[in-house]
């Protein structure tokens, strides 16, 4: 087909190269300036993509252009494109519009542009913005990218603080989403996205302090979600209700909400085969894993924030922290909840550490004090000191033995006086008399036959009182231990 009239030299070269898919090089410096021999109108590119030029038989037609200064808007909205578009080192003056279009491969490599609209885009190949600088918003709501999404080394700066730097909802990427070593200022929205080939954001920095750096609620990721190896989020990462069929990794990352009162990582109600929460430094901001289901959780005490919400979370395996650290781990919620302790105790019981499971139950009951009234706190302390809430009954026997020794010594020095006739009076024995005082029942007949005198009477009163307290505490503690637990799973 002959070239249409009105084309400049650069456009004529592009028109001639299209049927064979040859690359037209107008310059190698970046970004391209508005020099006459480098100007290409977006209208010319649009016409070629929409079939204004016939392909050459035996060749693969494509628009491949390097070093161009592209004026006007590439408006392919609603169109159907059968050819590849590859722009390298180009300056695109107006935001390309590929909304609701069907295309092949789209590649904008090391380009400068004021934004990109791909809402509803259906691409049989991949969409690549790698190495590009975008001063505006990249929009990909409802986009379907069969060949993947590539934004490695891309710089996106939202032009308006109230807008997203990368906006999508319902995005589907079949092969893989690669956003490595990128710099994104403004929020990234992946709400409801489905990443069937994984999400890889190693080395990327998301900057939106005090706001959402990444909103990925209800996102589904197959294979792996890598927020690792230098990944930095200055703002909140929200993954609530996400599903990760593989690893969710924050290894050697940096998480900083920008405000200690805000969430650094909001990952409640998620499902993950493996969560690796081991950034390079302590997480700055709060973390929520509430009501999540995680098969394997690997983390470390050095990175835990002051506020950590674990209520409702279940897991199969824990790695990375010792027992004493896990007790601190479940207590970092400012509000007391039974379930994190029950879950941790169940896990230790499941791996055969019943002694540690009992210690977790003790820690649970001690932590519970902070929401009791003064009388409840006093009783809680008493159960703790005397019988360890029933988990350490040997404490009661230790108290009993100590009091028995004290009473035996006292009544050996200060004999009680008899209160029965001599012919009904059993022989006095200090040890047996002390046992009768400590045991709430008159077992040996000594307590009813003899009465302490002088100062030893106060010792007797104390032994009787302490005996009742120990018996009551032992019964209450044993009943607490034997009561069925409902909060472990």
């Amino acid at each position: 087909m002959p070239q249409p009239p009105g084309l400049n030299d650069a456009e004529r070269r592009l028109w001639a190269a299209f049927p064979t898919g040859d690359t037209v090089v107008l310059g190698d410096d970046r970004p391209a300036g508005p020099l006459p021999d480098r100007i290409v109108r977006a209208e010319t590119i649009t016409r070629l993509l929409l079939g204004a030029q016939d392909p050459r038989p035996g060749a693969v037609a494509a628009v491949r252009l390097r070093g161009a200064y592209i004026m006007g808007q590439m408006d392919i909205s609603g169109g159907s494109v059968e050819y590849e578009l590859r722009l390298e080192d180009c300056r695109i003056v107006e935001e390309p519009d590929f909304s609701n279009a069907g295309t092949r491969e789209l590649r904008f490599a090391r380009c400068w542009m004021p934004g990109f609209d791909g809402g509803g885009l259906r691409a049989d190949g991949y969409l690549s913005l790698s190495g590009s600088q975008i001063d505006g918003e990249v929009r990909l709501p409802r986009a379907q990218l069969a060949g993947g999404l590539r934004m490695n080394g891309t710089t996106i700066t939202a032009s308006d603080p109230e807008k997203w730097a990368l906006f999508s909802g319902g995005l589907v990427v079949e092969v893989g989403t690669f956003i490595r070593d990128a710099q994104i200022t403004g929020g990234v929205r992946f709400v409801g996205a489905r990443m069937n080939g994984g999400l890889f954001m190693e080395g990327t920095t998301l900057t939106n302090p005090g706001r959402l750096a990444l909103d990925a609620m209800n996102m589904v990721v197959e294979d792996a979600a890598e927020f690792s190896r230098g990944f930095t989020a200055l703002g909140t990462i929200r993954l609530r209700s996400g599903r990760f069929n593989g690893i969710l990794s924050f290894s050697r990352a940096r998480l900083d909400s920008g405000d200690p009162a805000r969430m650094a990582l909001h990952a409640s109600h998620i499902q993950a085969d493996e969560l690796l929460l081991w950034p390079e430094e302590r997480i700055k901001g709060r973390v929520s894993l509430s009501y999540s289901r995680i098969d394997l959780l690997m983390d470390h005490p050095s990175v835990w924030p002051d506020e950590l919400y674990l209520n409702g979370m279940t897991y199969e395996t824990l790695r990375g922290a010792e027992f004493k650290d896990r007790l601190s781990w479940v207590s970092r919620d400012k509000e007391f909840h039974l379930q994190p302790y029950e879950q941790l105790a169940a896990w230790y019981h499941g791996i055969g550490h019943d002694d540690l499971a009992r210690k977790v139950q003790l820690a649970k009951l001690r932590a519970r004090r902070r929401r009791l009234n003064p009388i409840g706190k006093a009783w809680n302390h008493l159960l703790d000191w005397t019988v360890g809430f029933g988990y350490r009954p040997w404490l009661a026997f230790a108290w009993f033995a100590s009091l028995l020794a004290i009473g035996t010594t006292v009544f050996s020095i200060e004999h009680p006086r008899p209160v029965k006739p001599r012919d009904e009076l059993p022989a006095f024995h200090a040890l047996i008399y002390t046992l009768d005082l400590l045991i709430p029942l008159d077992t040996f007949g000594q307590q009813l036959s003899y009465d302490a005198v002088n100062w030893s009477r106060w010792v007797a009163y104390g032994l009787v009182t302490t005996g009742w307290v120990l018996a009551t505490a032992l019964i209450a503690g044993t009943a607490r231990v034997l009561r069925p637990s409902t909060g472990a799973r």
Side-chain angles (χ1 to χ4, degrees):
M1 178 182 294
Q3 294 181 352
L7 300 181
N8 61 32
D9 289 342
E11 292 170 342
R12 281 194 290 270
R13 291 178 57 188
L14 180 61
W15 198 277
F18 171 79
T20 59
D22 291 339
T23 300
V24 176
V25 180
L26 300 179
D28 290 319
D29 56 314
R30 175 176 177 262
L35 300 175
D37 59 346
R38 300 180 67 171
I39 294 176
V40 175
R41 288 172 297 172
E43 176 189 356
T44 303
I45 298 175
T46 300
R47 292 174 64 188
L48 288 171
L49 291 176
L50 294 178
Q53 167 75 306
D54 293 330
R56 178 178 298 177
V60 178
V63 174
R64 297 189 175 107
L65 186 60
R66 183 189 304 164
Y69 187 91
I70 301 173
M71 298 182 63
Q73 184 181 42
M74 280 182 280
D75 187 355
I76 316 291
S77 58
S80 180
V81 177
E82 298 296 329
Y83 312 107
E84 173 190 328
L85 171 64
R86 179 176 298 186
L87 301 178
E88 301 175 355
D89 300 314
C90 293
R91 185 179 185 93
I92 304 170
V93 176
E94 295 187 31
E95 175 184 282
D97 186 353
F98 284 80
S99 59
N100 301 308
T103 71
R104 300 291 186 179
E105 178 180 304
L106 298 176
R107 181 177 181 182
F108 298 83
R110 303 178 304 279
C111 293
W112 179 94
M113 63 183 80
F116 180 86
D117 190 352
L121 171 67
R122 303 175 307 283
D124 290 340
Y126 63 78
L127 168 63
S128 176
L129 300 171
S130 293
S132 293
Q133 179 177 334
I134 303 170
D135 294 333
E137 185 177 34
V138 175
R139 296 177 51 81
L140 296 171
R142 308 177 314 283
Q144 300 179 39
L145 309 177
L149 174 61
R150 306 178 188 179
M151 297 179 64
N152 299 320
T154 301
T155 299
I156 306 176
T157 304
S159 56
D160 185 342
E162 301 299 323
K163 290 187 176 181
W164 299 89
L166 174 55
F167 177 89
S168 73
L171 171 67
V172 178
V173 183
E174 293 295 342
V175 174
T177 302
F178 300 91
I179 312 178
R180 291 173 170 144
D181 301 312
Q183 301 288 327
I184 302 179
T185 302
V188 174
R189 187 179 189 270
F190 282 149
V191 172
R194 186 174 185 92
M195 311 291 190
N196 291 328
L199 173 60
F200 304 91
M201 299 186 72
E202 300 98 319
T204 288
T205 298
L206 306 181
T207 304
N208 203 21
R211 299 187 178 192
L212 285 169
L214 172 64
D215 188 1
M217 291 178 59
N218 300 300
M219 180 171 67
V220 178
V221 180
E222 303 287 345
D223 187 21
E226 291 283 352
F227 303 96
S228 57
R229 286 179 283 178
F231 172 84
T232 299
L234 303 178
T236 299
I237 299 291
R238 183 161 69 182
L239 305 178
R240 191 180 191 277
S241 301
R243 182 175 173 184
F244 302 90
N245 298 321
I247 187 172
L248 170 59
S249 176
F250 293 93
S251 174
R252 293 189 291 163
R254 181 187 172 203
L255 303 179
D256 184 351
S257 66
D259 181 353
R262 288 182 61 88
M263 287 283 184
L265 176 61
H266 188 180
S268 67
H269 300 83
I270 71 167
Q271 298 180 44
D273 293 343
E274 181 177 350
L275 172 57
L276 181 53
L277 188 58
W278 205 320
E280 280 191 328
E281 58 186 41
R282 185 177 183 181
I283 299 171
K284 298 176 181 177
R286 297 178 291 167
V287 172
S288 175
L289 298 174
S290 299
Y291 302 101
S292 292
R293 290 189 293 167
I294 299 167
D295 290 346
L296 170 62
L297 173 61
M298 184 176 293
D299 56 357
H300 193 268
S302 64
V303 304
W304 295 339
D306 291 334
E307 291 189 56
L308 181 63
Y309 307 134
L310 304 175
N311 185 39
M313 182 179 72
T314 60
Y315 43 82
E316 299 295 330
T317 306
L318 294 176
R319 293 285 185 272
E322 301 295 331
F323 171 73
K324 62 180 179 61
D325 297 313
R326 288 298 174 195
L327 288 182
S328 170
W329 180 63
V330 294
S331 67
R332 292 184 177 230
D333 191 337
K334 291 188 179 297
E335 293 187 13
F336 172 76
H337 298 283
L338 288 171
Q339 192 275 341
Y341 291 91
E342 295 286 355
Q343 171 65 33
L344 185 60
W347 183 73
Y348 277 116
H349 176 74
I351 62 174
H353 290 289
D354 290 346
D355 56 331
L356 299 182
R358 286 192 293 271
K359 290 181 179 179
V360 174
Q361 295 286 8
L362 278 170
K364 174 192 71 176
L365 294 168
R366 288 167 179 164
R368 184 171 174 265
R369 287 177 192 153
R370 63 183 183 226
R371 69 175 187 179
L372 299 176
N373 57 39
I375 296 176
K377 288 181 180 179
W379 180 243
N380 185 284
H381 277 292
L382 183 62
L383 287 176
D384 192 2
W385 294 338
T386 54
V387 294
F389 300 102
Y391 293 101
R392 298 194 295 177
W394 57 267
L395 273 177
F397 292 105
W399 278 105
F400 192 88
S402 300
L403 294 170
L404 184 63
I406 293 171
T408 301
T409 302
V410 168
F411 298 120
S412 296
I413 297 172
E414 187 74 38
H415 283 253
R417 63 180 178 84
V419 295
K420 285 186 177 182
R422 185 175 295 276
D423 58 342
E424 299 178 12
L425 194 66
F428 176 76
H429 194 288
L431 175 64
I432 303 302
Y433 180 70
T434 305
L435 276 174
D436 247 359
L437 294 175
L438 285 171
I439 298 174
L441 302 174
D442 184 28
T443 306
F444 301 104
Q446 294 269 319
Q447 183 179 355
L448 296 179
S449 301
Y450 294 91
D451 190 17
V453 297
N454 302 325
W455 61 272
S456 66
R457 177 168 296 183
W458 294 104
V459 176
Y461 293 158
L463 291 174
V464 171
T465 303
T466 306
W468 277 102
V469 170
L470 281 176
T472 304
L474 187 59
I475 293 170
T478 303
R480 185 189 297 275
V481 172
L482 295 178
R483 186 182 303 128
S485 174
T486 59
R489 296 259 178 186

